[in-house]
Amino acid sequence: MSVKILGIESSCDETAASVSLDGRTILSNIVASQVEEHKKFGGVVPEIASRRHAENILEVVRAALDEAKCGLPDIDGIAVTYAPGLIGALLVGTSFAKGLAMAADKPLIPVHHIAGHIASNYIAHPDLEPPYLCLVASGGHSQITEVLSYTKFRVIGRTRDDAAGEAFDKCARVLGYPYPGGVHIDRAAKKGDPDKYKLPIPKVTGSEYDFSFSGLKTAVINLAHNAEQKGETLDSDSLAASFQKTAAEMLVSKTVEAAKAFGYKTVAVAGGVSANSGVRELMLHECGKRGIKVYLPPLDLCGDNGAMIACQGYYDFLDGKRADESLNAVATLSLEDI
Ligand code: KG4
Ligand code: ZN
């Protein structure tokens, strides 16, 4: 029997819904992005995000069902992102999914957003199976996670301060690019000299696989301010390239060290920053040298989307994960605590 899961995502600034068939086949994937509206403010405004989710969610879910050519009776379960994320934004998705599950008498499946990002690789790579190591780098999170099974995770490294995507966005802002800046840094970096500016790689004491991005971000801000004070013109393409090279080295070197230490021969990358060409190339290069197989999500599944929730929802469904009408949204929740 085939299993169809409707996945709903509203943890940040994308209202998204998708229908998966037996987990890895995506029948529809609808994303209503609010990015143009938040751009005006230089970042996501939580209250605006919640309001737009409330306005768009019904239409997005309807479109996902229509595109998948199915109605609610054909759906076996309703999966929804309940954590982590912006609380008001999450509440729209969870409340909507609860109402829908009750009205249609369908099981409700609570999905962790990071588990969803990890699942994005299952959609594109039918041969990828746990166990493996996954680097998750997004606007809100940076972590190295052992994917022990489809539904069990152990986080072995995390950021002490900023997430990787946050550092990309702040660096982009300093260089005058609009929010979200990661993609602009990526484009500018292609035109610049990555060795022109020497930027620090911070030492993180305590845990070998933890990251720290605040020092790197501050170094870029200081360089830009000093140049401004002296009336010098910065080579912004080269600063973007130098920043990207350093950030990629930080993310990739810790992941490769962790793979070596924990004996993993398979590494995946997920989250918004997995779209970064510098991170993708360096991961392929460093893992290739060591005989480690790398899985990267297609660019359209790197950022937030409903397909990853519909896919992870399938595995959570098989695992018996269910929520009742008391399901609440949770702003901060480790992948290990689900
Ligand atoms: O996963 P995501 O869509 O949302 C969160 O769960 O946070 O990640 C968004 C982040 C933003 O910080 C954005 O600038 C970054 O991913 N990003 C990139 C690229 N594309 C998106 N960062 C670097 N290079 C890119 N090409
Ligand atoms: Zn995300």
Side-chain angles (χ1 to χ4, degrees), residues 3 109 151 312-322:
V3 175
I109 309 150
T151 54
Q312 182 59 30
Y314 167 78
Y315 289 109
D316 287 338
F317 175 79
L318 292 191
D319 196 35
K321 289 208 169 83
R322 299 289 184 273

Side-chain angles (χ1 to χ4, degrees), residues 162-303:
D162 295 341
E166 227 178 318
F168 268 93
D169 293 342
K170 285 183 183 157
C171 176
R173 195 179 188 155
V174 170
L175 296 181
Y177 296 112
Y179 172 85
V183 66
H184 298 284
I185 295 282
D186 201 344
R187 276 187 212 136
K190 291 195 169 75
K191 298 179 274 171
D193 170 10
D195 298 314
K196 177 149 181 181
Y197 297 99
K198 294 278 165 281
L199 297 170
I201 294 196
K203 296 250 174 310
V204 185
T205 49
S207 173
E208 267 177 276
Y209 308 111
D210 279 1
F211 303 109
S212 168
F213 287 97
S214 71
L216 176 59
K217 174 193 72 185
T218 309
V220 172
I221 293 173
N222 288 346
L223 261 167
H225 286 173
N226 286 343
E228 198 183 334
Q229 276 169 358
K230 289 185 198 154
E232 292 168 5
T233 316
L234 265 182
D235 175 355
S236 61
D237 289 345
S238 293
L239 187 49
S242 304
F243 168 83
Q244 179 168 298
K245 182 185 170 206
T246 313
E249 273 171 13
M250 282 164 61
L251 292 166
V252 171
S253 65
K254 297 251 171 182
T255 307
V256 171
E257 278 166 35
K260 234 164 55 186
F262 288 78
Y264 283 101
K265 283 282 167 206
T266 303
V267 162
V269 189
V273 179
S274 65
N276 185 262
S277 61
V279 172
R280 293 171 86 93
E281 281 160 26
L282 191 64
M283 189 65 91
L284 287 169
H285 182 256
E286 291 301 318
C287 287
K289 282 199 300 201
R290 295 167 177 85
I292 299 171
K293 195 159 184 197
V294 179
Y295 290 88
L296 301 167
L299 293 183
D300 63 334
L301 294 180
C302 291

Side-chain angles (χ1 to χ4, degrees), residues 4-75:
K4 282 185 185 148
I5 301 291
L6 169 66
I8 299 174
E9 155 66 36
S10 72
S11 67
C12 191
D13 58 348
E14 328 278 357
T15 320
S18 162
V19 177
S20 66
L21 171 66
D22 294 333
R24 295 182 181 228
T25 302
I26 297 304
L27 301 180
S28 62
N29 189 19
I30 307 291
V31 182
S33 177
Q34 309 170 1
V35 73
E36 287 307 319
E37 193 165 1
H38 296 290
K39 214 176 235 177
K40 291 180 244 163
F41 303 96
V44 178
V45 182
E47 187 182 327
I48 294 178
S50 310
R51 288 173 183 275
R52 294 299 164 261
H53 287 311
E55 284 166 12
N56 294 333
I57 195 156
L58 176 58
E59 199 188 325
V60 166
V61 169
R62 211 176 248 154
L65 289 169
D66 285 352
E67 197 174 294
K69 297 195 173 32
C70 57
L72 271 177
D74 308 315
I75 295 292

